[in-house]
């Protein structure tokens, strides 16, 4: 999903970065070259959760670093065994969760925990209505909900709207994704998920909900309806993406595990040259973002600000 030309194209269209492919014996790496206030460096994936690599594919990553000893590199990888490397610093960086199921009925019967099942039923009884759409306007409505949640709850900057415009063009218009949304009895949007599809796997890429509607259990109910829909599409894998290991992620981690997901460790690989960059600039940018959010900006102002600054958080 994230180690593909399509995902690189998304970063190129949204932020003007340039990508290239480094061909290896076991793995072709889709890379983005970054030039900004932090310095000059290369990342994979760009604005993505991880690249899944096997032990033998790590040989190509090691070879690339060995042949480019002065290059500042940062890769986010998911693998079964923690890499041992002479070329990279290897840091634990949370988890990647994935659901696999034979059918919707199999997932309901064998995967989910009892409390999660009860919360799905609460969502059903609360009168929630779900819609699955590929319309651009539906994605824009999701972006507004997503941006509001990022700013008000997490005090973080969302991706700008232009990123979601490109996402719609490259994925949803190509029948490689959709938005599934939940509406309350008054037809208010209360939660949504942006789903992308790569091969035999669906990716739960972005999710958002209204904080004043969580008692309706929209997130549990949406996941139930999503798996039902994927089962109809003969898709049996749902990647739930990255989850941090810190205490602030404990609720999200519990949510994914209660849904029956498996858990794999994620690692960040960085070279010595990357560690020598002006990484303090990231902290300075976070302070600028924090000061901006404290001003309680409108979504229009958030979008304009994000267009200027979000590219630094690649």
């Amino acid at each position: 999903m994230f180690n593909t030309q399509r995902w690189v194209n998304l970063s190129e269209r949204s932020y003007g970065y340039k990508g290239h492919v480094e061909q290896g014996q076991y793995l072709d790496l889709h890379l983005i070259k970054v030039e900004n206030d932090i310095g000059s460096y290369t990342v994979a994936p760009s604005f993505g959760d991880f690249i899944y690599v096997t032990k033998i594919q790590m040989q190509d990553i090691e070879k690339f670093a060995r042949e480019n000893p002065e290059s500042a590199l940062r890769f986010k990888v998911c693998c079964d065994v923690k890499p041992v490397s002479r070329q990279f610093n290897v840091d634990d960086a949370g988890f990647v969760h994935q659901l696999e199921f034979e059918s919707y009925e199999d997932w309901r019967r064998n995967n989910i925990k009892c409390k999660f099942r009860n919360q799905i039923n609460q969502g059903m009884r609360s009168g929630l209505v779900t819609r699955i759409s590929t319309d651009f306007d539906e994605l824009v409505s999701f972006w507004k909900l997503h941006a509001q949640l990022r700013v008000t709850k997490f005090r973080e900057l969302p991706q700008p709207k232009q990123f979601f415009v490109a996402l719609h063009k490259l994925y949803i218009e190509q029948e490689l994704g959709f938005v599934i949304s939940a509406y309350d009895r008054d037809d208010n949007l209360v939660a949504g998920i942006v789903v992308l599809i790569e091969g035999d796997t669906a990716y739960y890429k972005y999710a958002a909900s209204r904080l004043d509607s969580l008692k309706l259990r929209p997130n549990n109910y949406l996941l139930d309806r999503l798996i039902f829909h994927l089962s109809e599409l003969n898709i049996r894998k749902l990647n739930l993406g990255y989850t941090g290991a810190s205490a602030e992620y404990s609720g999200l981690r519990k949510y994914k595990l209660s849904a029956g997901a498996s858990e794999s460790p994620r690692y960040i690989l960085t070279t010595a040259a990357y560690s020598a960059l002006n990484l303090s600039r990231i902290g300075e940018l976070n302070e600028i973002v924090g000061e901006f959010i404290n001003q309680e900006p409108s979504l229009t102002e958030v979008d304009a600000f994000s267009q200027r600054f979000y590219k630094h958080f690649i």
Side-chain angles (χ1 to χ4, degrees), residues 46-185:
S46 57
F47 301 109
D49 290 340
F50 67 97
I51 296 172
Y52 183 79
V53 295
T54 63
K55 187 175 181 179
I56 196 168
Q57 288 172 332
M58 269 299 300
Q59 295 178 21
D60 282 336
I61 295 178
E62 289 275 301
K63 182 174 181 287
F64 175 67
R66 190 166 55 249
E67 292 176 350
N68 297 273
E70 304 302 318
S71 295
L73 308 175
R74 190 198 70 210
F75 301 144
K76 292 178 283 188
V77 303
C78 182
C79 41
D80 296 331
V81 178
K82 186 173 184 176
V84 177
S85 173
R86 294 183 178 181
Q87 310 300 324
F88 293 96
N89 297 315
V90 181
D91 295 313
D92 296 337
F95 306 96
V96 173
H97 292 94
Q98 180 155 306
L99 281 167
E100 297 189 15
F101 46 91
E102 292 298 322
S103 64
Y104 167 73
E105 292 75 16
D106 170 67
W107 174 74
R108 286 276 302 201
R109 183 171 55 249
N110 298 320
N111 289 53
I112 61 178
K113 303 294 188 291
C114 182
K115 184 177 180 180
F116 197 95
R117 183 180 292 106
N118 291 339
Q119 290 169 340
I120 292 171
N121 293 334
Q122 288 177 40
M124 188 181 304
R125 291 194 299 270
S126 67
L128 292 174
V129 174
T130 58
R131 300 176 194 163
I132 295 172
S133 176
T134 58
D135 290 347
F136 177 71
D137 288 346
E138 197 78 15
L139 184 62
V140 171
S141 295
F142 171 85
W143 175 82
K144 292 177 180 178
L145 184 66
H146 165 75
Q148 192 68 42
L149 182 69
R150 292 275 291 188
V151 170
T152 57
K153 180 179 179 180
F154 298 106
R155 316 299 293 174
E156 294 177 351
L157 203 59
Q159 294 261 25
K161 191 187 298 183
Q162 66 187 17
F163 178 85
F164 286 83
V165 171
L167 188 79
H168 190 271
K169 192 75 175 176
L170 290 167
Y171 284 90
I172 296 178
E173 283 189 14
Q174 308 304 318
E175 299 183 351
L176 295 173
F178 54 85
V179 182
I180 180 168
S181 306
Y183 293 82
D184 65 15
R185 295 181 189 274

Side-chain angles (χ1 to χ4, degrees), residues 11 15 17 32 34 36-38 41 43 45-48 74 76 150 155-160 163 266 274 279-290 292-293 305-314:
S11 294
Y15 299 104
Y17 288 125
I32 287 284
V34 181
N36 59 27
D37 296 348
I38 297 165
Y41 55 104
V43 303
S46 57
F47 301 109
R74 190 198 70 210
K76 292 178 283 188
R150 292 275 291 188
R155 316 299 293 174
E156 294 177 351
L157 203 59
Q159 294 261 25
F163 178 85
R266 191 187 75 152
Y274 180 85
L279 298 179
S280 63
R281 180 59 177 156
I282 298 175
E284 294 169 1
L285 289 169
N286 280 324
E287 289 182 7
I288 293 171
V289 170
F292 170 74
I293 290 174
F305 189 88
S306 183
Q307 287 179 42
R308 289 179 56 203
F309 287 99
Y310 198 93
K311 62 183 179 181
H312 292 88
F313 300 105
I314 189 169

Side-chain angles (χ1 to χ4, degrees), residues 145 148-149 152-154 190 209-215:
L145 184 66
Q148 192 68 42
L149 182 69
T152 57
K153 180 179 179 180
F154 298 106
V190 296
S209 55
R210 275 178 45 171
L211 295 177
D212 60 357
S213 299
L214 294 180
K215 62 182 180 298

